[in-house]
Amino acid sequence: MAKRDFLKLSDLTVEELSALFHRTKVLKEARTERRVIQTLLGRTLVMIFEKSSTRTRLSFEAAMAQLGGHAINLPITESQLGRGESLADTARVVSGYADAIMFRTFADERIAELAKHATVPVINGLTDGGHPVQLLADLFTMLEHFPKLEGLKVAFVGDGASNMGESWVEASQLFKFDLRIAAPEGYRPKAKAKILEPKAAVEGCDVVTTDVWTSMGQEKEKEARLKAFAGYIVDPALMSRAAPHAIVLHCLPAHRGEEIAHEVLEGPQSVVWAEAENRMHVQKALLERLILDATPALPKRVG
Ligand code: CP
Ligand code: NVA
């Protein structure tokens, strides 16, 4: 069987994603009861990071270890990639060692290039254009609070052009929930989306979410962004417009007082800590799906 990559949410069908959420529940219960499941015994994940990370690195590493496998971390600055070796050559070499590769990088073209030359599954650990493994955790967390995703009212307030904003739009199209984006002009998703003012977007919502105003790699734009996003904070006043049962999600790291108020992040509607933990559970299901369903072929020649 040909290898499957997970570069965007829609690389798996809705049925496959639903099955993955069912498996996540089983894996989470097992972990909570400290029952050991070792489906990836002897398997190796190589993680290549071109940007910082806490959750992605640790949740993938813990996931592999707990499933009986192993993860190797390769920060790009300590690798030959950082000295000019091509992604194509790296992909072929790493495919000989690993059962899957997780890559966190900038432009989506970079992960597409790695995936093209890798003969093992490649997982998007965040690019400028999306953060699909985070959305897996977010959708699973929503399913812990609501019976189904279809028809839910979800507000994304903040940088709609961020990787999170783009992935939320993709998720809403796949799972048919009513996504409202509140983002200033110039910071809206590329894909077609419902754009509203923050108060109107949050009105009656089941889920309220946001992302940092300045993503990794945009640090030079910080001052301009602080100005552009004034009025887009998820604070108690904005939350008072959501449904009383609404939950608050945030992929973290959070900037308290910028995109989200401390009182909201720490308040009773916040499920951000469960959401962060769910990264590991859902990625276990993803790793099983991609590694056990793929039969890696020998590395291909380039040129
Ligand atoms: N949410 C997320 O991807 O966190 P890290 O940047 O810490 O990996
Ligand atoms: N949009 C943020 C997400 C961090 C997990 C960034 O890219 O920095």
Side-chain angles (χ1 to χ4, degrees), residues 16-244:
E16 286 170 331
L17 290 168
S18 302
L20 194 133
F21 295 139
H22 281 286
R23 179 66 181 159
T24 301
K25 194 166 180 286
V26 172
L27 292 165
K28 182 171 181 175
E29 277 164 13
R31 172 64 190 164
T32 307
E33 295 162 11
R34 295 298 187 267
R35 270 189 288 115
V36 177
I37 293 180
Q38 298 217 306
T39 41
L40 296 183
L41 202 64
R43 304 297 192 137
T44 301
L45 172 73
V46 165
M47 307 186 291
I48 306 174
F49 282 97
E50 208 164 5
K51 291 177 177 170
S52 304
S53 171
T54 296
R55 279 146 290 270
T56 304
R57 174 177 171 184
L58 296 178
S59 57
F60 269 111
E61 191 161 342
M64 285 303 292
Q66 289 170 22
L67 291 178
H70 180 63
I72 302 171
N73 182 39
L74 187 66
I76 219 151
T77 48
E78 292 171 25
S79 73
Q80 298 292 3
L81 273 168
R83 298 180 59 251
E85 188 170 15
S86 73
L87 285 165
D89 288 357
T90 305
R92 288 190 294 165
V93 171
V94 176
S95 295
Y97 308 142
D99 297 277
I101 306 170
M102 193 239 61
F103 190 26
R104 170 169 283 197
T105 188
F106 290 88
D108 287 72
E109 290 73 24
R110 287 181 64 69
I111 198 164
E113 171 77 359
L114 186 88
K116 182 176 160 197
H117 297 286
T119 54
V120 296
V122 173
I123 299 171
N124 182 345
L126 180 148
T127 55
D128 290 344
H131 197 0
V133 285
Q134 180 67 52
L135 258 291
L136 290 181
D138 295 1
L139 298 173
F140 179 76
T141 308
M142 284 156 69
L143 286 168
E144 291 185 312
H145 293 270
F146 303 103
K148 60 180 181 142
L149 300 173
E150 190 176 346
L152 286 179
K153 293 192 180 104
V154 180
F156 179 100
V157 183
D159 185 5
S162 69
N163 35 30
M164 286 302 298
E166 299 287 358
S167 285
W168 271 108
V169 174
E170 191 187 17
S172 72
Q173 290 162 352
L174 284 172
F175 287 98
K176 301 191 187 337
F177 54 82
D178 176 10
L179 180 69
R180 300 106 178 261
I181 304 250
E185 225 177 309
Y187 300 95
R188 293 175 181 161
K190 286 192 201 85
K192 197 170 172 288
K194 189 191 278 185
I195 307 290
L196 296 170
E197 291 304 308
K199 287 176 189 163
V202 169
E203 195 68 47
C205 271
D206 304 295
V207 178
V208 179
T209 188
T210 182
D211 183 19
V212 293
W213 292 342
T214 305
S215 286
M216 291 181 277
Q218 299 171 335
E219 289 76 8
K220 285 197 184 114
E221 300 170 26
K222 187 170 179 195
E223 287 313 310
R225 286 173 169 269
L226 281 174
K227 282 198 193 104
F229 288 106
Y232 284 80
I233 183 171
V234 177
D235 61 10
L238 193 64
M239 279 308 298
S240 70
R241 297 183 170 261

